[in-house]
Amino acid sequence: DSRLWLEHLVTHRHEECRFLMARDWDVQKAYVLVQKCIKLRKEFNLDTMLFKPPPKEEFRKFKTAVPVYHQGWNDRGQLLAVRLVGPIDTKVAMHELGGDKVRLFELAYNEIAQRILAPAISRVIGHREWRSHSIIDMQNAAVSNFLNSDLRKVFSLSTSVVQVCYPENLGEASVIRAPMMFSMIWSFIKGLLTKRTQSKITVDSKSDPGKVLAPKFVNNPCLPRELGGTVVNPGPLYINSELEQIVEAYMTGERDFTEILGDNSDYHLIA
């Protein structure tokens, strides 16, 4: 049965399949994408990035300036990542950290998601799932955030690298509490994304995101109360979630990545 064979292939040989899926199963185009991926991984030292934690002060400054948090998984087993647009501090991000640092932190988050968090979730749910459900919360987002050319440049660079090195990483994206101005900005953002990625993104402007998000977390109640769910974190918004504590411990060097990853030579992006 071809359907079962494809299911098995996607589940057990997902690294190869994700490149094929990103290019609509065109082998030649997928091969070109793999070559670009290998080149970029070498350029940004992605295979060794997690073995060299950044200074704690820089990481925490990044977390404050560009808030991204991990909060469980949805009913499909996709890692839930929440990005808060409103509190983004472009001054700290661009002038104190700099564009290169912000980009490297963004890439480090993708490495953690793929090599630590997604495998851990897969063990819990009983099947392989590498994709993520990204929630972009635009509550209190200032127009100046979208108009900042430096910030747009950083996210453009990050997006281009992510789409090559982590194809099909995005399972679904929910943009919530979007202001009216976002409809104008969305045309710019869409230009940075492939049509396949665009099809995975929904935009909702309602003030109550629960009606849109809650149905995706019926069987696995990981959705925070602030987003219409039932989970109450014991601390500031998202920060004390279990997954976020794991990220914090490794990114600050309080725990060693080798505890989970072992010898780096054992890790290969392409099997």
Side-chain angles (χ1 to χ4, degrees):
D1 185 281
S2 58
R3 183 182 61 81
L4 290 176
W5 179 81
L6 279 174
E7 240 177 53
H8 173 82
L9 190 62
V10 170
T11 301
H12 298 284
R13 300 299 297 256
H14 69 282
E15 290 292 5
E16 296 94 325
C17 283
R18 61 196 297 176
F19 288 91
L20 287 165
M21 290 161 62
R23 292 298 179 264
D24 295 321
W25 299 92
D26 185 310
V27 175
Q28 185 58 42
K29 290 181 179 179
Y31 175 77
V32 172
L33 183 60
V34 168
Q35 296 304 307
K36 289 181 179 178
C37 172
I38 292 173
K39 181 180 178 181
L40 283 173
R41 291 193 70 85
K42 290 180 179 177
E43 180 181 343
F44 293 106
N45 298 312
L46 297 186
D47 289 340
T48 58
M49 175 182 285
L50 299 186
F51 294 88
K52 300 174 183 177
K56 292 182 183 180
E57 297 75 18
E58 286 188 355
F59 171 68
R60 292 192 170 124
K61 187 174 288 188
F62 167 79
K63 289 288 292 186
T64 302
V66 188
V68 184
Y69 302 107
H70 298 88
Q71 179 77 38
W73 56 93
N74 65 13
D75 283 351
R76 296 180 180 179
Q78 297 171 346
L79 171 66
L80 174 58
V82 182
R83 182 182 293 274
L84 307 180
V85 178
I88 288 178
D89 189 328
T90 55
K91 181 179 178 181
V92 172
M94 299 310 303
H95 300 289
E96 294 185 28
L97 283 172
D100 288 343
K101 287 283 186 183
V102 172
R103 179 174 58 182
L104 286 174
F105 277 121
E106 292 276 359
L107 291 171
Y109 262 88
N110 278 278
E111 282 294 293
I112 289 175
Q114 291 294 292
R115 296 173 65 178
I116 295 177
L117 302 183
I121 292 171
S122 295
R123 288 192 291 270
V124 173
I125 64 177
H127 67 266
R128 185 71 173 91
E129 180 56 75
W130 72 91
R131 288 160 290 210
S132 64
H133 181 172
S134 180
I135 294 178
I136 299 96
D137 188 355
M138 305 190 72
Q139 187 176 37
N140 301 322
V143 174
S144 58
N145 286 347
F146 305 114
L147 300 180
N148 185 291
S149 59
D150 287 335
L151 192 64
R152 292 208 311 268
K153 181 179 179 181
V154 169
F155 283 114
S156 297
L157 290 170
S158 297
T159 300
S160 63
V161 174
V162 166
Q163 289 194 105
V164 171
C165 293
Y166 312 97
E168 294 300 304
N169 180 43
L170 181 65
E172 181 177 356
S174 305
V175 180
I176 59 172
R177 296 191 271 227
M180 292 183 63
M181 174 63 72
F182 183 73
S183 59
M184 298 173 59
I185 310 299
W186 178 232
S187 59
F188 164 77
I189 297 175
K190 285 174 68 175
L192 304 175
L193 308 172
T194 64
K195 289 184 178 180
R196 188 178 180 87
T197 300
Q198 291 177 31
S199 68
K200 301 175 182 178
I201 301 173
T202 58
V203 179
D204 185 78
S205 59
K206 296 182 179 66
S207 58
D208 178 13
K211 293 180 180 178
V212 176
L213 297 176
K216 305 176 190 296
F217 296 85
V218 174
N219 299 319
N220 186 44
C222 291
L223 193 65
R225 187 171 61 181
E226 293 83 359
L227 298 180
T230 58
V231 175
V232 179
N233 288 321
L237 184 61
Y238 310 117
I239 292 176
N240 283 333
S241 73
E242 185 177 356
L243 289 182
E244 197 55 37
Q245 289 176 23
I246 293 174
V247 174
E248 173 87 7
Y250 285 108
M251 287 294 282
T252 57
E254 292 172 12
R255 291 186 65 180
D256 190 343
F257 275 112
T258 56
E259 293 176 13
I260 291 179
L261 297 178
D263 184 353
N264 188 51
S265 62
D266 292 336
Y267 172 72
H268 302 282
L269 176 73
I270 314 295

